Amino acid sequence: LPALDAVYVTRQELERHPGIAADLEALESRRDVFLRMVTPEVLGAMTDAVTPQGMLAVCRLPEVAVLDALADARLVCALARVQDPGNAGTVVRAADAAGAGAVVFSEGSVDPFNPKAVRSTAGSLFHLPVLTGVELSSFVASARGRSLRVLAADGYAQATVDELADAALLRSAGVAPVVEHDVRLEDPTVWLFGNEAQGLSDDERDLADLAVAVPLYGRAESLNVGTAATVCLYASARAQRRADSGVITVRRRTP
């Protein structure tokens, strides 16, 4: 995770959030973290935000090896040439919420550590390993070496995430589903998501064990990559947790 070097905060921010003061006092006792109170004008000059939040942290970017990120991961999100920083941050946030072990950005992708992407993660950037500039084919080979299956999100695929989720639910209930492939959503999985405009290239799609579509039941032509990633990652997360517990839980809503 990013290593903290310095914190700049305004007096107004401390007055709005008294609880932060105790955390800053603990930081002040550390010799490796520089702490300074500044005016709103100074903080505004240091950031690119129109309305800064009153606190700024200076961090060193983490260096994470692919094999370290894959060591204990059962769910990984890989982005191929995603360009929009808002999308990048949204996917990191969704992956964190779904319990993914890592997020991987391929070569040619946006920098997830740029200011807009960082804000879009809403703090999730600090919760799980995020790798950048990764060569996709070698990453997939490493993932397969760790027994992870690889699924490619593709809007034109024949298989759908709903079908995979239904099959996983039947297996958890002890019923053998009728399927045309051996991919199990509850297995350790890497999900590949492509560029916002072009999606995955043929070569990128061919890296996967199966191409999977998010079905569109309405009139929309497509889904934003952040939305598609959320649907797919949560489908895997639910299937994995259900397989781990062996329990299907249905809660009745009280009136």
Side-chain angles (χ1 to χ4, degrees):
L1 299 179
L4 184 62
D5 283 337
V7 176
Y8 300 88
V9 62
T10 65
R11 184 179 301 278
Q12 293 87 339
E13 183 72 5
L14 291 177
E15 292 174 350
R16 281 194 298 267
H17 304 285
I20 294 177
D23 294 332
L24 292 180
E25 287 179 4
L27 285 176
E28 194 172 19
S29 64
R30 292 174 47 180
R31 295 183 178 181
D32 59 334
V33 177
F34 178 76
L35 180 63
R36 176 63 59 86
M37 186 174 293
V38 296
T39 65
E41 293 75 18
V42 169
L43 195 69
M46 298 173 69
T47 72
D48 68 341
V50 176
T51 306
Q53 294 182 336
M55 183 179 295
L56 182 147
V58 179
C59 303
R60 279 170 282 133
L61 298 185
E63 295 182 3
V64 184
V66 169
L67 292 181
D68 290 339
L70 293 173
D72 300 312
R74 297 187 59 202
L75 181 60
V76 176
C77 174
L79 300 178
R81 299 172 294 105
V82 168
Q83 298 296 309
D84 183 79
N87 286 336
T90 298
V91 174
V92 171
R93 186 177 182 181
D96 177 25
V103 179
V104 174
F105 286 81
S106 77
E107 297 170 329
S109 296
V110 66
D111 180 9
F113 295 99
N114 80 42
K116 184 176 180 180
V118 171
R119 289 193 294 270
S120 296
T121 70
S124 289
L125 194 66
F126 300 93
H127 298 162
L128 75 172
V130 177
L131 287 69
T132 62
V134 175
E135 202 282 315
L136 202 57
S137 61
S138 62
F139 165 74
V140 169
S142 298
R144 284 209 173 91
R146 295 298 178 106
S147 300
L148 277 79
R149 303 301 296 268
V150 182
L151 301 181
D154 177 15
Y156 299 100
Q158 295 299 313
T160 71
V161 68
D162 284 2
E163 292 169 358
L164 294 182
D166 290 346
L169 180 60
L170 288 173
R171 282 190 292 270
S172 69
V175 179
V178 178
V179 293
E180 299 179 357
H181 47 75
D182 64 348
V183 171
R184 296 159 50 97
L185 203 58
E186 58 268 38
D187 290 340
T189 299
V190 173
W191 276 98
L192 299 181
F193 302 98
N195 176 269
E196 294 92 335
Q198 292 87 28
L200 292 168
S201 68
D202 291 342
D203 289 342
E204 291 164 346
R205 195 181 302 108
D206 289 344
L207 293 172
D209 298 304
L210 183 68
V212 182
V214 177
L216 302 176
Y217 299 119
R219 299 175 62 184
E221 295 182 357
S222 63
L223 287 176
N224 172 276
V225 65
T227 302
T230 302
V231 172
C232 296
L233 292 169
Y234 262 92
S236 285
R238 286 194 298 269
Q240 290 177 357
R241 280 158 176 72
R242 191 187 300 117
D244 289 343
S245 65
V247 176
I248 301 175
T249 302
V250 178
R251 295 181 180 178
R252 177 178 298 175
R253 179 176 294 179
T254 56

